[in-house]
């Protein structure tokens, strides 16, 4: 008799960034992961502000376009909120409690840990490991976010023609996606300190992993939008023209020394500053490797300049290096955007939990 395989329910990962909707769908044939669907659709400049959805209809319309462009038939989606929109707290509870008993106790005690009225937040928790202080207790990760943060994303997903199956946290989606790039890290990250640095359009996020698990997270305002604004000011063009010139090229000869080089140096400085915050607030004094992601890190020589500034080996993450592609996936576009798709990959990996 043939053994039964666990049935998995596919859903797409939808990364709602400040400037682009990114969609990824993966399957898992016997040989490994395969990219089934992919699309990236730009957002209007005023649709997102400070990581918050301002125009739900515009975001929903972009998601709808991404679904159509990708060709996916999947109607379930996983989406994430940023770390700044979430409160996390590790608490200790009796190890003898069932999941239902644990949930009931958390509901009673949650107001000790959450600085908002409980009716204004969504709560979730995850059992971690036995407490080091008391073997009869277990550590539990408590997670809370304002309802409006979740509801806006769920509404945008629904307006895009999908149903939100999972609402995750970006940092944990990145941790999940790390499994796709472990071969780029010494000893696959075991007993290694790995700095995953995502430089997006408006925000730079540092997630530090040890033994493949997140131990530190920090966000700071810096991203590719600053480069666009520098192009705009230096050449006296509109913001839209500057953005298009940045993507397609064709800028004057002085673009490299006058605009791009200073921006790269500032990006390396921002990365170094993030790491210094990590070192000063933990017992760690070095990282074994830096993994770069986000659309902004694809500018020429970014990894080399960051490595020279920090002294840590630095590579650009490519989650698709060992994957096959469905025939409808545009390979050139996918690999061009690969470093910016880590969060979307981590979200679609929830299909296999």
């Amino acid at each position: 008799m043939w053994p039964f395989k666990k049935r998995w329910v596919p859903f797409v990962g939808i990364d709602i960034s400040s400037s682009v909707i990114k969609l990824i769908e993966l399957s898992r044939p016997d040989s490994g992961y395969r990219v089934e669907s992919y699309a990236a659709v730009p957002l209007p400049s005023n649709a997102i502000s400070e990581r918050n959805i301002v125009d739900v209809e515009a975001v929903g319309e972009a998601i709808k376009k991404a679904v159509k462009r990708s060709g996916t038939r999947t109607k379930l989606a996983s989406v994430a909120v940023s770390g700044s929109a979430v409160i996390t707290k590790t608490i200790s509870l009796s190890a003898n409690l069932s999941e239902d008993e644990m949930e009931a106790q958390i509901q009673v005690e949650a107001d000790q840990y959450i600085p908002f009225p409980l009716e204004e937040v969504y709560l979730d928790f995850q059992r971690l490991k036995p407490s080091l202080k008391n073997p009869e207790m277990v550590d539990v990760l408590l997670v809370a976010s304002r309802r409006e943060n979740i509801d806006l994303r769920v509404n945008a997903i629904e307006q895009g023609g999908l149903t939100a199956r999972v609402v995750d946290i970006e940092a944990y989606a990145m941790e999940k996606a790390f499994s796709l790039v472990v071969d780029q890290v010494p000893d696959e990250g075991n007993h290694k300190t790995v700095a995953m640095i995502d430089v997006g359009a408006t925000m730079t996020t540092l997630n530090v992993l040890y033994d493949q698990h997140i131990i530190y997270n920090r966000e700071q305002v810096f991203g590719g939008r600053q480069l666009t604004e520098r192009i705009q000011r230096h050449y006296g063009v509109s913001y839209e023209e500057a953005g298009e010139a940045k993507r397609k090229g064709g800028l004057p000869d002085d673009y490299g020394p006058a605009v791009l080089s200073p921006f790269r140096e500032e990006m390396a400085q921002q990365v170094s500053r993030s790491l210094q915050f990590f070192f000063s607030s933990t017992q760690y004094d070095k990282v074994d490797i830096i993994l770069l992601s986000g659309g902004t890190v694809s500018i020429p020589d970014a990894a080399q300049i960051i490595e020279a500034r920090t002294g840590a080996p630095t590579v650009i993450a490519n989650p698709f290096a060992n994957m096959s592609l469905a025939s409808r996936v545009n390979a050139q576009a996918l690999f061009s955007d690969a470093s910016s798709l880590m969060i979307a990959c981590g979200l679609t990996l929830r299909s296999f939990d």
Side-chain angles (χ1 to χ4, degrees):
M1 184 179 212
W2 294 104
F4 289 105
K5 291 185 178 181
K6 181 180 178 181
R7 187 174 182 271
W8 59 275
V9 180
F11 48 84
V12 295
I14 302 286
D15 178 13
I16 303 175
S17 72
S18 59
S19 59
V20 182
I21 294 295
K22 288 162 277 192
L23 179 154
I24 286 289
E25 179 187 2
L26 300 179
S27 64
R28 190 162 59 182
D30 293 337
S31 57
Y33 292 109
R34 183 172 79 161
V35 183
E36 296 292 344
S37 308
Y38 152 74
V41 174
L43 284 167
S45 58
N46 59 350
I48 306 287
S49 176
E50 298 181 355
R51 313 298 292 274
N52 297 315
I53 296 177
V54 176
D55 189 339
V56 174
E57 290 185 2
V59 175
E61 186 61 30
I63 293 172
K64 187 181 296 184
K65 289 180 180 177
V67 170
K68 183 177 180 180
R69 188 174 299 175
S70 71
T72 182
R73 296 181 180 178
T74 299
K75 295 301 180 182
L76 301 178
S78 176
V79 69
V81 295
S82 67
S84 59
V86 176
I87 297 168
T88 59
K89 178 76 174 179
T90 301
I91 62 176
S92 294
L93 297 174
S94 172
N96 295 324
L97 293 176
S98 67
E99 292 292 305
D100 289 341
E101 291 170 333
M102 194 171 285
E103 181 176 1
Q105 185 168 337
I106 287 172
Q107 289 291 340
V108 171
E109 300 180 2
D111 57 357
Q112 301 178 39
Y113 314 108
I114 309 302
F116 305 113
L118 293 185
E119 64 270 15
E120 296 180 6
V121 301
Y122 287 115
L123 285 173
D124 201 358
F125 68 94
Q126 181 176 350
R127 186 189 293 258
L128 297 177
K129 57 185 178 181
S131 172
L132 296 177
K133 298 178 181 178
N134 186 342
E136 296 182 357
M137 306 291 281
V138 63
D139 288 339
V140 176
L141 178 66
L142 178 64
V143 181
S145 183
R146 299 288 291 266
R147 285 180 175 266
E148 60 190 40
N149 297 324
I150 307 297
D151 291 342
L152 285 170
R153 280 163 173 76
V154 171
N155 290 342
I157 292 291
E158 290 176 350
Q159 291 197 31
L162 302 173
T163 299
R165 175 70 177 261
V166 172
V167 179
D168 207 340
I169 302 169
E170 289 181 356
Y172 294 117
M174 288 290 283
E175 180 185 85
K176 194 80 171 174
F178 181 72
S179 65
L180 302 176
V181 294
V182 291
D183 59 338
Q184 299 184 41
V185 177
D187 299 325
E188 296 190 340
N190 295 314
H191 307 298
K192 300 295 181 182
T193 308
V194 180
M196 299 182 72
I197 298 176
D198 186 271
V199 187
T202 61
M203 196 72 66
T204 295
T205 305
L206 167 64
N207 294 299
V208 182
L209 283 71
Y210 183 78
D211 258 351
Q212 302 188 21
H213 296 290
I214 284 183
I215 58 171
Y216 181 87
N217 169 266
R218 184 176 188 273
E219 296 179 350
Q220 62 189 57
V221 179
F222 178 82
R225 184 166 292 179
Q226 275 95 326
L227 178 56
T228 306
E229 291 171 349
R230 290 184 183 196
I231 296 171
Q232 179 186 10
R233 291 194 300 269
H234 190 77
Y235 297 110
V237 297
S238 70
Y239 183 84
E240 290 71 22
E241 290 171 331
E244 186 172 358
K246 183 177 74 171
R247 291 189 300 271
K248 296 183 178 180
L251 286 159
D253 292 340
D254 71 337
Y255 169 63
V259 181
L260 185 59
S261 290
F263 175 80
R264 281 189 304 224
E265 290 295 335
E266 185 177 356
M267 180 165 62
Q269 184 179 19
Q270 294 288 342
V271 169
S272 178
R273 184 176 300 164
S274 289
L275 290 174
Q276 291 305 317
F277 274 108
F278 166 63
F279 299 144
S280 65
S281 58
T282 67
Q283 74 271 29
Y284 297 86
D285 58 7
K286 71 178 184 70
V287 296
D288 294 296
I289 191 170
I290 295 173
L291 276 179
L292 297 177
S293 62
T296 306
V297 303
S298 61
I299 62 176
D301 301 325
Q304 294 90 324
I305 291 171
I306 290 172
E307 181 170 320
R309 164 76 69 159
T310 62
T314 303
V315 298
I316 296 177
N318 178 7
F320 308 111
N322 300 315
M323 292 190 197
S324 58
L325 309 181
S327 58
R328 67 184 174 202
V329 175
N330 183 326
Q332 182 177 354
L334 178 73
F335 285 109
S336 176
D337 290 341
S339 67
S340 68
L341 295 168
M342 287 287 285
I343 290 175
C345 283
L347 291 171
T348 191
L349 285 177
R350 295 296 183 189
S351 299
F352 310 105
D353 286 350

